[in-house]
Structures are given as C-alpha cells and as structure tokens.
Amino acid sequence: MSQAPSLHFDTLAIRAGQHRSDECEHGDPIFATSSFIFRNAAEAASRFMDNAPGNVYSRFTNPTVRTFAERLAALEGAEWALATASGMSAIQMVAQSLLRAGDHAIVSANVFGSTVSLFDKILSRCGISTSFVPMTDLSAWRDAVRENTRMMFIETPSNPLCEIADVPALAAIARDAGCSLVVDNVFCTPALQKPLTLGADVVVHSATKYLDGQGRCLGGAVVGNDPKIQEACFNYLRTAGPSLSPFNAWVLLKGLETLHVRMRAHCENAQALAEWLAGHPAVAFVNYAGLPSHPHHGLAREQQSGFGGVLSFEVVGGREGAWQVIDSTRLLSITANLGDVKTTITHPATTTHGRLSDAERERGGITQGLIRLAVGLESVEDIRADLARGLDALVQTDGLVGRAMP
Ligand SMILES: *Cc1c(COP(=O)(O)O)cnc(C)c1O
C-alpha cells in the first residue's frame, strides 16, 4: 500500500495502489505487456525463484492489475487482494485453494446460478461435496457441518429476494467448525458492506458488476487477511492462470474512483422506487431491505451502510402480469445483468431461475409474479414512469386485481 490506511474511503478509491513510474504520469498507466525483462541472468534467476520482488510475467505480476488489487484491498480494509478474469474465476480460485478431494462445503441455496453449478457440477467431479442450505436458517448451517467441512459460502443481500445473512453469527459457526467463511460481496461492494470486519475470512467479487459500474468488462477478485489463503490463491493464479487483463484492470480502476458516489445514488434511486412500488395497487409486496417492513431491515442497518441497488416485487396476475409490466417498458433494459448505470428488469422465474424445477423455485420464493429490478442511475422519475405504464394497465385489466396469488 502506497497510502496511509488512515485515509478515508473516497480518497483510497481514487489514490490507493498507484506507484508512479519515472515518467511522472498523473493517471494510472496500462502496462500492456505480457512479460518483463531482467537486467542480467542473476536477476532473472532470483525473480524466478521468488527471492526478489518484481515483475516476471503478466499471468501473475502486472503493475496495472496490482494497482487494482491494492486499491480494492484498501477499500475492503484487507491485507491483500488478488484480481481474476471474472467473478466466477475468483470463486473457483478460492474454492480450489481452500478445498481438496474429500472436503465438504456448505453454500447458501440462493447464491448466483453459476456458483451453484460450480459446486454442484464441477467441484463435485474433484471429490468436493456440497450441502446447500437456506441462508437465514442458522440451525440448518449448524446441522450441515461435518467433520470434513472446510468452507462456508454466502451471498448477502441475496438475489432476487434481498434476504440478509447474519454474517457475525455465521462467522461464529464457521469458527466452531474450524472452517473459512467466504462472502460474495457483489451486491453491496465495500462502499456499503465490509464482510471481513463482520468476521468473514474471505471476500469474493465479480468486478463485472458495481466495481466497473458501467457494463464495460469482466473482472473478479479474492480479498482477505490470512497470508496462508493468500499464498494458496496466488499459487493457483500463477499456475492455473485465471488472470485479469491489464486493460480490464484499468477500466475497473476508473470504476473504483466513482464507486462511493455511484453506490449512494443506486441506493437513493432504489429506495425511492421501493417506496413507490409498495404503495402501488398492482404490487402485492416489495423485497428491499431499505423498507422498514422488510424482515431483515434491522440486520441490514447493522451490517450495511446502504441497502443497495437491487430490489424485487410481486405483481398481481402471476406470469402474465409480470410479462405485461416488463413488455410495457420502453426505457429499461430487459436483461439479467446488474450493477450498471442502466436500469435492468428481469423475470427471474423464466430466466435466471428458469432451469429450476417448480418445487425448487417454490422453495426459493421465486414466484411467477416476481420482477427484479437492478436500479440504475437514470432519473428516478423516468424509471417510475416506465414502470407505471405496465402497472397502471394491470390495475385497469378487469379481473386481474384481487385474483389469488400464483
Ligand atoms: C455476476 C455474479 C457473479 C459472477 O461474476 P462474473 O464476473 O459474471 O463471472 C458471481 N456472484 C454474483 C453475486 C454475481 O452477480
């Protein structure tokens, strides 16, 4: 770290991790180079044998990537961060660093779809077994612990129901079980939540979402304090090579500079929309932890400094009603991505959660009338007007209002 850790978040987001070269550049340069040269054979030998610090090869040492990692570590209040090509490769890296054949992981049932597939379909082939448990049921976590449990994994707030995990309570269960608690911090980013200070051992990021914030590139990171986990992850990165490109690292650095400002604006827009939706006659209920009626509102206040940009709501009329609202939009983007300045609208039951069985969907609370919004930074009045078109039409559609929920 080139800056004193006493600096504030907004300052670190702009200045941490920059090591100016002899060219005295003001901005962060892109080191578009795969390899680095050595002054002589002896220096090459000591770099390769890890006896001397310095750059070797961009699979595991690149100055632009290092600046991104150091800046993110500073924002999470962590000792170290390692950048990866995507969020999924970050999760793969931490799983393969903490787990080996014969080990067991406990994963919350409502994590990102590809995370479920990673544990269920890929890590299972390496002899790693996984139990999926409801995130907010602490006794289910305790009951799922086995002698060979080495890792617990959560994503909080959850998608799309905005449930909040009790991170300190889960950290205590992990400590008792002698295993590591990993938190996917994509939805809050360190601007709103710092899981390491709540007792988590490792944080993972899909930098593709809010860290970039403008839908431009993929990236990921693993963040932590434990030097043993750092060494295991670094050896994995160096050998398996899920490396972030210097160009993408530079894009993500630009994203971090405005992270705090953007997250505050995402929260403000989402809060305003959640309150408006909760009062609309075509909306049965709204899932957003910023609403005092949300069952985890108090917990979210304790753990987070904001409630995030994602919310979901149930419309009357089941799938037909939800599709009508989605198809009536002209401004919002119909896509499953999130963490962008553009607001996106999704029907989880037929897209992100479409491959689940009806029973699985029901257990997960993914009803046919549920719509997810990843609220962007357009004028909240324009977003509201775009949603009102379909919602108002639903109220006017004879027989839809008051029909039993699907
Ligand atoms: C998108 C996402 C991921 C995966 O990240 P990629 O960058 O798409 O690989 C993991 N977790 C969460 C919560 C996500 O939203």
Side-chain angles (χ1 to χ4, degrees):
M1 263 281 301
S2 59
Q3 265 79 23
S6 61
L7 292 172
H8 292 89
F9 190 97
D10 294 296
T11 310
L12 293 170
I14 290 167
R15 293 188 176 269
Q18 188 176 12
H19 304 264
R20 253 180 217 123
S21 78
D22 292 344
E23 302 292 348
C24 299
E25 69 278 3
H26 191 203
D28 300 298
I30 305 176
F31 282 87
T33 177
S34 52
S35 54
F36 299 84
I37 57 159
F38 312 103
R39 272 180 287 260
N40 50 52
E43 187 179 74
S46 63
R47 289 263 176 94
F48 267 79
M49 299 317 289
D50 279 343
N51 295 328
N55 300 311
V56 178
Y57 188 57
S58 281
R59 192 189 317 120
F60 52 100
T61 53
N62 177 280
T64 313
V65 174
R66 183 188 60 208
T67 297
F68 167 68
E70 286 188 8
R71 192 169 296 177
L72 182 61
L75 296 182
E76 287 281 7
E79 293 293 325
W80 55 267
L82 291 166
T84 57
S86 67
M88 287 320 302
S89 57
I91 298 172
Q92 164 94 353
M93 181 162 90
V94 74
Q96 298 227 280
S97 301
L98 292 175
L99 302 168
R100 58 193 63 231
D103 287 349
H104 172 248
I106 314 174
V107 176
S108 67
N110 49 10
V111 290
F112 188 67
S114 297
T115 307
V116 174
S117 304
L118 177 69
F119 281 92
D120 216 22
K121 302 206 164 71
I122 295 182
L123 294 170
S124 59
R125 283 197 253 131
C126 311
I128 293 162
S129 59
T130 303
S131 304
F132 292 94
V133 301
M135 186 173 74
T136 56
D137 182 351
L138 292 176
S139 60
W141 286 88
R142 271 183 224 107
D143 292 346
V145 171
R146 301 180 195 162
E147 207 181 308
N148 57 341
T149 304
R150 292 287 167 271
M151 173 178 171
M152 289 169 36
F153 186 101
I154 58 167
E155 184 186 311
T156 181
S158 75
N159 175 31
L161 297 184
C162 303
E163 293 177 309
I164 308 294
D166 187 336
V167 180
L170 288 168
I173 294 173
R175 243 187 337 270
D176 287 347
C179 74
S180 303
L181 176 64
V182 181
V183 177
D184 183 329
N185 200 25
V186 165
F187 280 75
C188 275
T189 82
L192 306 181
Q193 169 173 272
K194 296 191 180 71
L196 297 174
T197 66
L198 298 171
D201 300 289
V202 180
V203 167
V204 294
H205 276 287
S206 166
T208 315
K209 311 296 168 46
Y210 292 105
L211 300 190
D212 170 25
Q214 294 169 67
R216 297 168 294 194
C217 71
L218 274 84
V222 177
V223 189
N225 290 325
D226 186 332
K228 283 205 209 75
I229 300 176
Q230 178 188 24
E231 191 186 350
C233 285
F234 181 74
N235 286 337
Y236 178 88
L237 179 71
R238 176 178 190 146
T239 310
S243 320
L244 183 65
S245 85
F247 180 77
N248 286 4
W250 179 82
V251 172
L252 296 171
L253 280 169
K254 297 295 110 186
L256 289 184
E257 289 176 354
T258 58
L259 180 66
H260 214 188
V261 182
R262 284 186 291 105
M263 291 312 291
R264 276 192 291 251
H266 280 291
C267 292
E268 256 173 49
N269 272 4
Q271 183 77 33
L273 283 170
E275 287 170 10
W276 170 73
L277 285 164
H280 197 286
V283 175
F285 56 85
V286 178
N287 301 310
Y288 186 63
L291 296 177
S293 58
H294 188 284
H296 308 142
H297 176 68
L299 184 58
R301 286 189 87 96
E302 280 169 33
Q303 295 184 174
Q304 303 168 207
S305 60
F307 303 105
V310 176
L311 61 87
S312 60
F313 58 101
E314 177 83 19
V315 298
V316 295
R319 196 194 83 166
E320 201 185 325
W323 280 24
Q324 188 177 318
V325 172
I326 292 169
D327 289 343
S328 301
T329 60
R330 294 174 196 158
L331 180 73
L332 307 193
S333 310
I334 305 175
T335 173
N337 195 30
L338 65 101
D340 198 323
V341 288
K342 295 189 171 92
T343 300
T344 67
I345 188 164
T346 316
H347 186 238
T350 52
T351 59
T352 51
H353 296 69
R355 285 168 195 276
L356 300 184
S357 68
D358 289 345
E360 284 174 319
R361 259 197 304 274
E362 198 164 310
R363 231 180 297 131
I366 311 297
T367 47
Q368 291 291 333
L370 193 74
I371 294 175
R372 189 199 76 185
L373 283 185
V375 181
L377 303 186
E378 303 97 333
S379 153
V380 73
E381 284 168 40
D382 293 334
I383 304 170
R384 203 185 290 140
D386 208 40
L387 289 166
R389 198 176 305 108
L391 288 170
D392 293 350
L394 265 193
V395 178
Q396 283 148 19
T397 309
D398 267 349
L400 271 184
V401 173
R403 191 191 277 182
M405 302 282 298

